[in-house]
């Protein structure tokens, strides 16, 4: 039975409760056991171009999209021979680079 304020999936087998409609402790017996899914994610880095310095010595970033995404700065190898990478994410890549 599905409680008030909830909805079922197309198959009607898994109830979805919203935060406001949930009452009492969660009952795990309502969940069906699923097999472990095989999930694989693959991506490759696209180069946007080099970061250069302008006349004032400030970094100038290449043109970036105004879209969410992951980014990686490769600072090369440090004095100890260790490659230095900075990886982050942003909701707007162009604004993140300008900050």
């Amino acid at each position: 039975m599905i409680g008030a304020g909830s909805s079922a999936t197309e198959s009607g087998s898994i109830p979805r409760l919203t935060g406001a409609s949930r009452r009492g402790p969660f009952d795990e017996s309502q969940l069906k056991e699923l097999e472990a899914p095989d999930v694989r994610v693959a991506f490759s880095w696209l180069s946007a171009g080099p970061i250069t310095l302008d006349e004032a010595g400030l970094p100038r970033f290449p043109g970036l999209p105004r879209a969410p995404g992951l980014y990686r700065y490769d600072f090369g190898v440090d004095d100890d021979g260790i490659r230095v990478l900075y990886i982050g994410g942003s909701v707007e890549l162009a604004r993140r680079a300008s900050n």
Side-chain angles (χ1 to χ4, degrees):
M1 179 173 174
I2 298 174
S6 64
S7 62
T9 61
E10 288 182 22
S11 66
S13 62
I14 302 174
R16 294 180 186 226
L17 302 175
T18 61
S21 66
R22 185 173 165 197
R23 295 184 184 114
F26 180 73
D27 183 10
E28 291 181 27
S29 66
Q30 293 179 351
L31 299 176
K32 293 185 178 189
E33 189 171 326
L34 302 174
E35 292 182 28
D38 182 15
V39 178
R40 298 169 194 216
V41 177
F43 65 93
S44 59
W45 296 104
L46 301 176
S47 177
I51 300 170
T52 58
L53 298 177
D54 65 10
E55 296 79 28
L58 298 172
R60 176 177 285 186
F61 292 86
L64 296 171
R66 300 181 89 59
L70 295 174
Y71 59 90
R72 176 185 74 181
Y73 294 130
D74 186 347
F75 295 103
V77 179
D78 68 5
D79 295 336
D80 296 325
I82 299 172
R83 180 167 222 92
V84 180
L85 297 174
Y86 178 82
I87 299 173
S90 177
V91 295
E92 187 178 327
L93 291 172
R95 191 175 84 194
R96 175 66 176 117
S98 68
N99 288 336

